[in-house]
């Protein structure tokens, strides 16, 4: 049995000064990121929208300058790093809802759109037909920034040292393969991210797509976000356009570190990540099964639509090619499973992540095998298994299922169809963005709030928000701040 008294004695509450310092530095990065939508709004949006963006930049810069007064800490705790990330996404979504409100959109809808953007979900309750082109670009920009993460941007321009950066968005498993430390790893991630986006823009432009569509759809695909410039998503796009976007979604759902390992290491086997092949294999098998069932059931969906929906669900991208064709119940369930698992660790995709699902499956398989093996072999397997990673995977999966059930129950209690409700909340919690038609302007405010919470929980993987609201996170004895020189 765990010794909870020992845990309590070694437990430290967060230090508000450290949180404020980390947030101020991240706000400094965010102020730079906000320059792009501000410039675009100055050209293609109402003056009030541009003024609002300028006000947000001024507010962020003020917070950054005030934060410079605070001491730099060299011993950031895990709970402090997680609380910082959770607060960052909440505060950023609230700030980004302000420019959206200048277009005459109610706060709950504007916040829903901002949360969906910064968490790379893709659900929307806004009519896009009468919106300026600058708004379409800025919502795609939100997803692009949310995909790479403000944390990675901060690390990429060398704000945080490695000791802090390793607790602000990088797993120990991924960092074990990163040559040169967290800072160098983040820079390589940024290079790969920008390169994939640029390649996508070029490829989509070759098809004669409007430049706005090429840019926004590339940003949304690489970030596995799913914001499209049209109300029917990609239903009216050409087959070439859909194929390129689908490939970009797969590229974004792969752990980014395999790209630069493939470039810098000559041994081919060192970069062939199991998650990469598992993602392709999963998409292939589910697509074959879904197409076979669709043919047997004589569905109105073409095989092409079914395959692209599977790709969008498994990568948690959220682009739809179904148009007005209602999805059959069997396909809704299959897509729920795909969204639930998601893409690879270290990628922009959501869900519980393919790496965790594979690891838990392997542990369950070994548990069955050990029943007929010798005790010595079983103990050897236990010694080699990563107990820390297993605990992390089980915690994420357990909390994911609990939140999913609670959200689903709220929708069903409001009278919405059970299967469509499950599909909607799975999409939100997995940050996928595929919709069964429930996410619209007339959705009750409470249910919009539930989906917003699901999107935020899914983006930071639930545990960070649980730590944010735990009483002992804020109350208890605190470490003394050990300062370092900048």
């Amino acid at each position: 049995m765990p010794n909870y008294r020992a845990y309590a004695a070694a437990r430290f509450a967060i230090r508000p000064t450290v949180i404020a310092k980390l947030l101020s530095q991240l706000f400094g990065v965010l102020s730079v990121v906000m320059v792009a939508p501000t410039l675009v709004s100055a050209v293609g949006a109402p003056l009030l929208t541009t003024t609002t963006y300028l006000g947000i930049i001024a507010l962020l810069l003020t917070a950054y300058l005030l934060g410079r007064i605070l001491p730099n800490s060299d011993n950031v705790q895990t709970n402090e790093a997680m609380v910082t990330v959770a607060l960052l996404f909440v505060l950023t979504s609230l700030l980004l809802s302000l420019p959206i409100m200048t277009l005459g959109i109610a706060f709950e809808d504007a916040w829903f759109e901002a949360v969906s953007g910064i968490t790379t979900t893709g659900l929307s309750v806004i009519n896009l037909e009468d919106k300026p082109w600058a708004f379409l670009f800025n919502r795609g920009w939100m997803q692009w920034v949310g995909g790479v993460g403000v944390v990675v941007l901060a690390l990429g321009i060398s704000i945080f040292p490695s000791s802090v950066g390793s607790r602000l968005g990088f797993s120990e498993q991924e960092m074990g393969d990163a040559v040169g430390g967290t800072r160098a790893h983040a820079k390589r991630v940024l290079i790969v991210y920008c390169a994939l986006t640029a390649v996508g823009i070029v490829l989509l432009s070759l098809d004669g797509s409007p430049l706005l569509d090429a840019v926004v759809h590339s940003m949304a695909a690489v970030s596995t976000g799913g914001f499209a410039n049209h109300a029917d998503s990609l239903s009216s796009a050409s087959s070439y356009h859909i194929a390129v976007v689908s490939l970009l979604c797969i590229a974004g759902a792969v752990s980014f570190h395999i790209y630069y390992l493939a470039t810098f290491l000559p041994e081919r086997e060192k970069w062939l990540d199991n998650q990469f092949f598992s993602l392709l294999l999963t998409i292939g098998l589910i697509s074959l099964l879904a197409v076979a069932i669709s043919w047997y059931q004589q569905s109105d969906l073409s095989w092409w639509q079914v395959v692209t929906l599977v790709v969008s669900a498994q990568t948690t991208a959220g682009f739809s090619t179904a148009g007005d064709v209602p999805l059959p119940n069997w396909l809704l369930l299959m897509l729920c499973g795909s969204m639930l698992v998601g893409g690879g660790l270290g990628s922009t995709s959501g869900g519980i992540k393919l790496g965790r699902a594979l690891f838990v499956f392997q542990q369950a398989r070994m548990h069955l095998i050990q029943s007929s093996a010798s005790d010595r072999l079983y103990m050897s397997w236990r010694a080699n298994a990563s107990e820390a990673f297993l605990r992390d995977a089980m915690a994420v999966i357990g909390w994911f299922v609990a939140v999913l059930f609670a959200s689903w129950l709220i929708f069903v209690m409001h009278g919405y169809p059970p299967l469509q409700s499950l599909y909607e909340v799975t999409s939100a919690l997995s940050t996928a963005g595929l919709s069964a038609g429930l996410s619209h302007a007339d959705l009750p405010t409470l249910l919009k709030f539930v989906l917003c919470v699901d999107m935020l929980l899914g983006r930071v993987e639930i545990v960070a928000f649980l730590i944010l609201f735990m009483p002992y996170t804020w109350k208890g004895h605190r470490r003394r701040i050990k300062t370092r020189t900048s």
Side-chain angles (χ1 to χ4, degrees), residues 242 246 250 283-284 286-292 294 301-314 319 321 331 335:
I242 295 173
S246 297
I250 294 174
I283 291 175
I286 295 178
S287 296
L288 286 174
L289 179 60
V291 169
S294 179
L301 295 171
S302 67
W303 72 269
W304 179 248
Q305 289 174 311
V306 172
V307 171
T308 53
L309 283 171
V310 171
V311 171
S312 190
Q314 191 66 55
F319 291 105
T321 56
L331 184 56
L335 295 180

Side-chain angles (χ1 to χ4, degrees), residues 40 113 122 124 126-143 201 204 209-221 225-237 241 245 317-320:
V40 170
E113 200 77 7
S124 181
I126 293 178
N127 179 19
L128 302 178
E129 300 302 328
D130 59 345
K131 298 300 180 291
W133 68 269
F135 169 78
L136 299 177
F137 173 86
N138 290 345
R139 70 200 289 265
W141 179 261
M142 275 195 302
Q143 290 203 322
I201 293 173
L204 292 178
S209 299
L211 181 60
L212 181 64
D213 285 358
V215 173
V216 173
H217 292 175
S218 294
M219 292 192 297
F227 270 161
N229 290 339
H230 311 283
D232 64 351
S233 190
L234 298 183
S235 299
S236 58
H241 191 101
V245 169
F319 291 105
S320 176

Side-chain angles (χ1 to χ4, degrees), residues 352 391-406 429 457 461-463 466 470:
I352 62 176
R391 286 197 303 269
D392 170 76
M394 295 305 297
V396 170
I397 294 173
W399 285 115
F400 197 99
V401 172
V403 173
L404 179 67
F405 178 79
L429 193 58
L457 290 173
E461 298 188 334
I462 300 178
V463 176
L466 293 175
M470 290 294 182

